[in-house]
Amino acid sequence: MKKLIVLAFVGFLAQLIDGALGMAYGVTSSSLLLAFGIAPAVASASVHLSEVVTTAASGVSHIKFGNVDKQLVYRLIIPGSIGAFTGACFLSNLPGDVVKPYVSAFLLLLGFYVIFRFLFKFQSSEEKESKPLSVKQSIPLGLIAGFADATGGGGWGPIATPVLLSKKGMTARKVVGTVDTSEFAIAISATVGFIISLGWEVVNWLWVGALMIGGIVAAPIAAWLVRMVPAQLMGILVGGFIIIVNARTILGTWVTDEIYYPVIYGFLFLGWGVAIFFGVRKMKANQAAEKEKNRKLAS
């Protein structure tokens, strides 16, 4: 019962973050499941099964509010589904104890990437001017993001969203809506891959149900939270959280002398704090510049 409550909290926290950022449900929930000792393949399978429900609800909402570029969704779901299915089969055939630290290392790198993305590459502007992602560009993006999503338990949003935001031609609102909607197909493909490779018997439906319930409860709260906490600050917070959680698994595997743990954790927390500090400063500077621009336009 205690584990179910913990898993419901994991689903709640992951959906809370994902609802505020448009990404990081898989990365966050997989990181926490790995931290609780669940095997990588089972953790990723559980996450993707729960995502079938959460991404469906998210996709329907985004379509209803006109946040989706349907043409780009079609371009992403085929290569993304192939990549996710391949990644699921690949992960399922690896020994859990051997692959766990490598999956954590991958998630930790994603955490650094998320911080870098929101600290240095975040753009608050809505409108862009140029051509959106082409078919030739969408195929490798879908394959890589789908494979990373299945093998790491997350990665579709952290990889696809920044790439699309870096391309001109789409609003930030449609980027988030398109990525969230296309993720429904990715979750199904990864789930099919895990079921074929692992079998239904490895799936703990109570765990999956707990993740789903936690996510459903968090959805409306996340909608409110996104109005209160700036997306740039939330991204930096999430990136640091992912790094700290996965550092535990990596240290336990590759650093045998625990005397170094406080120093390493201290360095990570210090770096996280510095990133938050500069992120807040950058946000305030951008807000001041925007106010000055509006004042000049008004005068």
Side-chain angles (χ1 to χ4, degrees):
M1 186 62 185
K2 288 182 179 180
K3 180 170 281 189
L4 291 180
I5 295 174
V6 169
L7 289 172
F9 176 74
V10 168
F12 175 87
L13 182 61
Q15 183 58 46
L16 194 67
I17 294 169
D18 191 82
L21 286 176
M23 66 175 77
Y25 177 89
V27 178
T28 305
S29 53
S30 296
S31 298
L32 290 170
L33 290 177
L34 287 175
F36 283 113
I38 297 174
V42 177
S44 190
S46 301
V47 168
H48 283 92
L49 274 169
S50 64
E51 278 189 313
V52 170
V53 173
T54 58
T55 55
S58 179
V60 169
S61 300
H62 281 301
I63 291 173
K64 181 179 179 180
F65 288 103
N67 296 338
V68 178
D69 184 331
K70 294 182 180 180
Q71 184 180 18
L72 185 55
V73 169
Y74 297 140
R75 291 179 182 178
L76 288 173
I77 59 175
I78 295 178
S81 298
I82 294 172
F85 180 84
T86 305
C89 294
F90 173 76
L91 181 64
S92 299
N93 288 290
L94 294 176
D97 292 337
V98 174
V99 74
K100 184 176 180 180
Y102 295 99
V103 173
S104 290
F106 170 74
L107 292 170
L108 183 138
L109 290 175
L110 275 182
F112 279 112
Y113 178 75
V114 169
I115 287 183
F116 177 81
R117 154 83 183 98
F118 280 91
L119 186 59
F120 298 108
K121 299 293 184 180
F122 181 80
Q123 297 178 3
S124 59
S125 59
E126 285 287 318
E127 299 297 334
K128 311 254 181 171
E129 296 178 355
S130 188
K131 294 182 179 180
L133 205 68
S134 67
V135 175
K136 290 183 179 179
Q137 293 170 324
S138 64
I139 291 175
L141 173 61
L143 287 171
I144 294 170
F147 186 86
D149 193 84
T151 54
W156 180 256
I159 292 175
T161 300
V163 171
L164 293 179
L165 285 174
S166 68
K167 294 292 294 181
K168 297 181 178 180
M170 290 182 66
T171 64
R173 174 176 60 88
K174 283 207 169 186
V175 167
V176 173
T178 299
V179 171
D180 280 358
T181 302
S182 60
E183 193 171 9
F184 173 67
I186 310 308
I188 291 179
S189 298
T191 299
V192 171
F194 282 120
I195 296 304
I196 291 176
S197 301
L198 298 174
W200 287 100
E201 61 274 8
V202 304
V203 178
N204 189 317
W205 292 102
L206 290 177
W207 293 1
V208 175
L211 287 171
M212 289 180 181
I213 291 172
I216 292 171
V217 172
I221 302 175
W224 170 83
L225 183 65
V226 73
R227 300 170 61 91
M228 306 299 294
V229 180
Q232 186 174 17
L233 177 59
M234 182 64 75
I236 296 171
L237 292 172
V238 170
F241 175 75
I242 293 169
I243 291 169
I244 297 299
V245 170
N246 286 284
R248 175 188 174 189
T249 300
I250 295 172
L251 290 176
T253 304
W254 290 319
V255 181
T256 56
D257 195 342
E258 296 186 4
I259 193 173
Y260 295 109
Y261 286 15
V263 176
I264 296 173
Y265 277 119
F267 178 77
L268 292 176
F269 275 108
L270 178 61
W272 190 12
V274 170
I276 293 171
F277 173 76
F278 281 105
V280 171
R281 283 190 59 181
K282 188 174 182 180
M283 284 188 300
K284 289 182 177 179
N286 290 338
Q287 290 171 357
E290 188 68 23
K291 287 181 180 179
E292 181 65 19
K293 179 180 178 181
N294 293 335
R295 186 188 65 80
K296 289 181 178 179
L297 290 174
S299 60

